[in-house]
Amino acid sequence: MQNFNWHQLQNGSDIRGVALDGVAGEAINLTPEATTMLGKAFVSWLAEQVNKPAADLVISIGRDSRLSGPDLKQGLISGITAMGSRGYDFELASTPAMFMSTVTDGFNCDGAIMLTASHLPFNRNGLKFFTTQGGLGKPDISAILALAEADAFTTAAQAGTVEPRDFMGVYAQQLVQTIRKGVDHPQQYEQPLQGLKIVVDAGNGAGGFFAEHVLQPLGADTTGSQFLEPDGTFPNHIPNPEDGDAIASLKKAVTTHNADFGIIFDTDVDRSGAVDHTGQELNRNRLIALMSAIVLKEHPGSSIVTDSITSDGLTQFIEQQLGGQHHRFKRGYKNVINEAIRLNQSGQDAWLAIETSGHGAMKANYFLDDGAYLISQLLIELAKAKQSGQALSDLISTLQEPTESQELRIEITADDFKACGNQVIEKLQAFAAQQADWTLVPNNYEGVRIACTSPSEAGWFLLRLSLHDPVLPLNIESNVTGGVAQIALRLMACLQKFESLDIPPIT
């Protein structure tokens, strides 16, 4: 693969690429030949990390429901076995399960690889890598790509072998036991969800196992569950808890079947969202608030680490209602998780790291962003609430939510988009300092966040530079009707001075 640009495949701490034809202007750059090289590179990298010969390594391999998965998996297997390593083929799996295979007795894999591109379109695919220490970070991915580019591998005289193993059954049973122990119902310990109707929407991704292998053994009625069958064309809706059509579909299923609860997963089950019995969404700030209430009951005073676009009302709820600490950090699930780990290492308890996107990781679960584990915590509280004649949503009854909110994605047309974006943020911060009723929010870790205190605005905005794209995302929230438009109108007086910004209309 001479002259191939390996580093174009890097997307932060993941590898992402185009694996299939079908989308105009998107040429294939992730092929079985590429995954063969990446398999060799991972073995080479891992052998050095764990100080083992390649022949002694055991690596698990899984995939989501994407059409390109089987061929890319065969490429991976070819690379791993060429280096002499052993492999376990889990076939259809979830991303969190792949990590768990490294820490579960009877498997104890040295490393794991998941083929997935999360919620991206059908033609994309990618790879996520794990060791016993968790998911690999951006520098690790860069190192693996550099090894693939160098192509200086010494293959083994005797090829390794790959055997099929059922790990999803083991992983599902781990979740079942977590829920049983969490509810600890003396009369129905084995089936603590008996009497509850719970709808699952897997979006034709890898999450369909949850209905049959987790909920049903616990006694739940899963009538009305939908799109459980894996289908890489994603014919019903995008498997994404943030997608409006996906949530609307789940809400309809919950209300149509008079369910007590609805669950939605993304393609590889590292993210989740939910709907309560009334059809109200339990995602974004509401999901964070629910998880904070659960965590802070067991760990009073803990810090809750979130991304940067969470609401002021969430801060008030965590700190004033629950007695915790809200540590608002940067966008990016790895950023949020790593910050929680850093806080714990510095002596500050942080038991939850969670993004508004639905990525959530808990200290009690290896800080693994596991959508199924996160849902298991909600199901424990759902069962306890039913026992006491209450509703799960009662936990967040005092959460103040904004009256209005909007996110705009302002495109940067300048060649050096990072320099331009940083200049815009700098100028906006100076502009905001001149406004009598705008205040710079302290302890902000990315972009500029401004509190807008006038009665006609009563809100805030955050302008930041995207992690990867030539875009300035602008989030605005207000507690009064018309407040978002009023804040945006004043903002435009500053932003429209930049010719290199393509600003969409305020709706």
Side-chain angles (χ1 to χ4, degrees):
M1 298 182 66
Q2 290 183 342
N3 302 319
F4 181 73
N5 182 3
W6 285 97
H7 297 277
Q8 70 180 328
L9 297 177
Q10 180 156 9
N11 183 46
S13 57
D14 298 344
I15 284 174
R16 296 269 176 90
V18 178
L20 292 175
D21 284 321
V23 177
E26 296 191 2
I28 293 175
N29 62 1
L30 185 61
T31 62
E33 292 78 16
T35 56
T36 296
M37 296 293 287
L38 291 168
K40 292 179 180 179
F42 183 58
V43 168
S44 179
W45 178 89
L46 183 62
E48 183 174 346
Q49 296 296 312
V50 300
N51 195 27
K52 279 186 178 182
D56 292 344
L57 295 178
V58 179
I59 298 170
S60 57
I61 305 122
R63 62 177 180 86
D64 67 16
S65 59
R66 291 173 184 278
L67 299 175
S68 58
D71 288 343
L72 295 181
K73 185 191 73 174
Q74 288 306 314
L76 261 181
I77 288 173
S78 295
I80 290 168
T81 55
M83 299 294 286
S85 299
R86 292 172 56 211
Y88 294 150
D89 182 0
F90 293 164
E91 275 291 348
L92 191 73
S94 74
T95 293
M98 299 310 297
F99 165 75
M100 291 302 296
S101 73
T102 71
V103 293
T104 297
D105 289 344
F107 290 84
N108 299 111
C109 300
D110 298 289
I113 307 174
M114 176 69 178
L115 283 158
T116 182
S118 189
H119 62 281
L120 293 182
F122 77 95
N123 67 322
R124 305 293 187 91
N125 215 324
L127 295 86
K128 295 183 178 182
F129 300 89
F130 297 92
T131 69
T132 57
Q133 303 304 306
L136 269 57
K138 185 176 179 180
D140 303 318
I141 300 301
S142 297
I144 288 170
L145 289 170
L147 287 168
E149 182 176 41
D151 188 12
F153 306 111
T154 302
T155 56
Q158 182 173 349
T161 59
V162 171
E163 61 180 289
R165 295 287 296 271
D166 172 25
F167 185 73
M168 287 306 293
V170 174
Y171 170 73
Q173 187 60 28
Q174 290 173 346
L175 294 171
V176 167
Q177 289 302 114
T178 293
I179 295 169
R180 283 176 177 155
K181 291 177 182 178
V183 179
D184 197 20
H185 194 297
Q187 280 77 47
Q188 52 188 61
Y189 181 83
E190 290 295 311
Q191 294 193 320
L193 303 184
Q194 195 170 44
L196 289 168
K197 181 178 282 190
I198 301 172
V199 169
V200 176
D201 184 329
N204 302 111
F209 77 95
F210 199 83
E212 180 180 355
H213 297 291
V214 179
L215 294 179
Q216 291 176 16
L218 292 168
D221 178 355
T222 59
T223 303
S225 293
Q226 58 188 20
F227 318 139
L228 305 181
E229 306 79 13
D231 185 338
T233 66
F234 308 126
N236 295 290
H237 61 68
I238 297 171
N240 181 1
E242 289 190 289
D243 181 72
D245 291 340
I247 286 292
S249 181
L250 177 61
K251 289 167 72 171
K252 182 179 179 181
V254 168
T255 54
T256 298
H257 296 277
N258 295 313
D260 298 287
F261 198 59
I263 300 165
I264 187 166
F265 295 117
D266 76 343
T267 319
D268 61 327
V269 202
D270 62 356
R271 289 190 298 139
S272 56
V275 168
D276 72 8
H277 68 287
T278 69
Q280 175 181 241
E281 300 171 31
L282 299 175
N283 57 7
R284 299 181 67 82
N285 285 289
R286 290 175 188 157
L287 179 60
I288 296 172
L290 268 174
M291 289 305 304
S292 298
I294 291 168
V295 165
L296 287 165
K297 278 198 299 184
E298 188 171 350
H299 305 286
S302 170
S303 290
I304 308 297
V305 183
T306 74
D307 59 357
S308 60
I309 63 171
T310 47
S311 296
D312 290 343
L314 179 66
T315 301
Q316 294 166 6
F317 180 73
I318 291 172
E319 298 189 350
Q320 298 176 19
Q321 303 294 321
L322 302 178
Q325 299 294 320
H326 184 193
H327 187 84
R328 190 187 286 122
F329 196 57
K330 300 176 182 179
R331 290 282 278 173
Y333 74 96
K334 287 292 288 185
N335 287 331
V336 174
I337 290 171
N338 289 340
E339 179 67 0
I341 293 171
R342 186 193 69 80
L343 289 178
N344 282 290
Q345 290 173 344
S346 70
Q348 182 177 342
D349 273 352
W351 285 83
L352 175 64
I354 185 166
E355 264 204 315
T356 49
S357 66
H359 278 289
M362 303 182 71
K363 184 178 180 181
N365 189 45
Y366 304 95
F367 273 120
L368 175 65
D369 55 317
D370 185 343
Y373 186 87
L374 202 73
I375 288 296
S376 75
Q377 302 305 299
L378 296 183
L379 291 174
I380 291 168
E381 293 304 315
L382 178 69
K384 290 180 177 179
K386 185 177 185 295
Q387 292 171 20
S388 59
Q390 297 177 318
L392 179 64
S393 300
D394 292 344
L395 287 174
I396 57 171
S397 60
T398 59
L399 173 67
Q400 179 187 350
E401 300 196 68
T403 302
E404 298 178 341
S405 63
Q406 186 169 6
E407 178 174 289
L408 300 176
R409 293 180 66 81
I410 301 172
E411 293 187 8
I412 305 171
T413 59
D415 291 336
D416 189 347
F417 73 88
K418 290 187 177 181
C420 178
N422 287 324
Q423 182 184 25
V424 172
I425 290 169
E426 182 181 337
K427 293 291 185 182
L428 179 57
Q429 183 168 328
F431 173 80
Q434 297 172 358
Q435 313 302 307
D437 51 2
W438 283 8
T439 305
L440 184 68
V441 175
N443 302 321
N444 183 61
Y445 292 89
E446 64 178 348
V448 56
R449 185 175 178 124
I450 300 295
C452 308
T453 58
S454 74
S456 64
E457 296 175 351
W460 59 271
F461 69 82
L462 172 73
L463 184 74
R464 61 184 178 85
L465 185 59
S466 171
L467 296 174
H468 308 295
D469 303 319
V471 171
L472 285 164
L474 171 63
N475 292 84
I476 311 175
E477 288 193 359
S478 174
N479 295 321
V480 295
T481 302
V484 166
Q486 180 66 24
I487 293 170
L489 183 64
R490 293 176 66 183
L491 268 170
M492 292 308 118
C494 176
L495 298 180
Q496 287 175 344
K497 295 178 180 178
F498 292 89
E499 295 180 359
S500 54
L501 298 183
D502 184 4
I503 303 173
I506 303 292
T507 57

